[in-house]
Amino acid sequence: MMLLVSPHLEGAQDNFQVIKDKKLRTIRYVPNEPSGEALILVHGFSRNAKRMAGHASALASEGVTVWTPNLYSLMGGASSRAKNVEFLLSLTRELSRTHERLSLAGHSAGGALAFSTAIRAQQEGIEVTHLVLLDAVPWKETIKEAGQLQPLPLLSLTAESSAMNARLKVDELHAAIEFPFTQLHLVGSSHVDPENPPGAFAKSLTTETGQRLFAGLLKRYVLHEDFEAYVSEQEEMGYIIR
């Protein structure tokens, strides 16, 4: 297994290492003093793990072990989606053996894959501490299986309706979930705002407020850090609708 250590990746701090594991298609952010929290953070359709580097660095600097996988192509339909779920599930199994708490989060199609992976993990007896959907775009299969997800802390953040998020198709997934969860709409935000840093194409479509909110909410939710107070503050300023 070939490991490349890149401590100078944008956003990296002295209190964690960035390890590129090419064989296992994963960039790993490993704190020098781990808190016991771990997160698998999944990029969106046609993107890559580098698009999650800012979020991963921010959390790793707080002691969270973060793995950002590079998905296999999603152009192959159901078989490709199943391959990616199995890939993410294998990472979930590995992290659950070494960390007390394990969360899943994903952007766009990566959110749909994180959702399906959480179901599979629960079925194997692996506890998922949090599930965070970053303007997720589910497939019909995702919506169909939603009732299988057992209750857990679930946060779904949505941007403004657009072709990029299939006109908020995630609302159909929300309706199919059978337990209470937290849904927050980020006013004026773009589907590409969860990218951190955004790619060249996405830069022209991002919003400053949306990027700040996606980053702030993800970090606070995973860290259990003043999340409700932050939401209330942003809601009062008109940036968030519950």
Side-chain angles (χ1 to χ4, degrees):
M1 178 170 62
M2 184 177 183
L3 298 180
L4 301 176
V5 179
S6 177
H8 302 298
L9 187 69
E10 182 178 357
Q13 303 294 322
D14 292 338
N15 60 348
F16 66 91
Q17 287 188 320
V18 181
I19 302 173
K20 298 180 180 179
D21 187 336
K22 290 188 173 182
K23 184 177 180 180
L24 294 181
R25 304 176 62 91
T26 306
I27 301 177
R28 306 181 178 197
Y29 297 74
V30 183
N32 294 338
E33 297 182 7
S35 66
E37 297 272 0
L39 172 69
I40 296 174
L41 182 56
V42 189
H43 66 78
F45 180 74
S46 81
R47 316 309 285 160
N48 59 52
K50 293 179 181 179
R51 300 281 71 85
M52 296 288 107
H55 297 307
S57 295
L59 286 163
S61 69
E62 300 290 339
V64 181
T65 299
V66 185
W67 289 6
T68 58
N70 278 306
L71 297 175
Y72 295 91
S73 171
L74 289 171
M75 299 300 288
S79 61
S80 179
R81 293 195 289 272
K83 181 178 182 179
N84 276 299
V85 170
E86 188 56 46
F87 168 47
L88 296 176
L89 186 61
S90 69
L91 300 181
T92 300
R93 293 186 189 111
E94 186 175 346
L95 267 175
S96 68
R97 288 194 289 267
T98 55
H99 290 76
E100 298 171 12
R101 296 169 297 281
L102 170 63
S103 299
L104 297 170
H107 173 221
S108 191
L113 293 173
F115 190 94
S116 296
T117 302
I119 292 173
R120 292 283 303 279
Q122 288 179 334
Q123 290 171 344
E124 291 192 7
I126 299 172
E127 181 179 358
V128 178
T129 307
H130 299 96
L131 175 60
V132 183
L133 307 180
L134 304 171
D135 207 32
V137 181
W139 293 282
K140 290 181 180 178
E141 294 90 338
T142 319
I143 297 167
K144 186 176 180 179
E145 69 181 359
Q148 299 179 45
L149 185 69
Q150 298 302 306
L152 81 168
L154 168 58
L155 172 66
S156 182
L157 305 177
T158 59
E160 297 293 354
S161 175
S162 70
M164 289 187 291
N165 59 20
R167 301 297 172 189
L168 286 176
K169 191 174 181 65
V170 71
D171 284 342
E172 296 180 34
L173 181 67
H174 293 158
I177 296 171
E178 298 182 350
F179 56 87
F181 63 96
T182 302
Q183 177 191 349
L184 302 175
H185 180 68
L186 311 189
V187 178
S189 63
S190 165
H191 179 65
V192 296
D193 283 340
E195 291 192 2
N196 185 358
F201 166 75
K203 280 184 179 179
S204 64
L205 301 173
T206 57
T207 71
E208 183 178 347
T209 299
Q211 287 190 300
R212 174 181 62 80
L213 288 173
F214 274 107
L217 291 164
L218 172 64
K219 181 179 178 182
R220 285 170 172 79
Y221 196 71
V222 172
L223 293 176
H224 328 283
E225 180 185 271
D226 300 324
F227 176 78
E228 288 298 334
Y230 182 73
V231 171
S232 296
E233 176 187 87
Q234 300 304 314
E235 187 178 22
E236 287 182 9
M237 292 189 290
Y239 295 133
I240 288 178
I241 297 175
R242 294 180 191 260

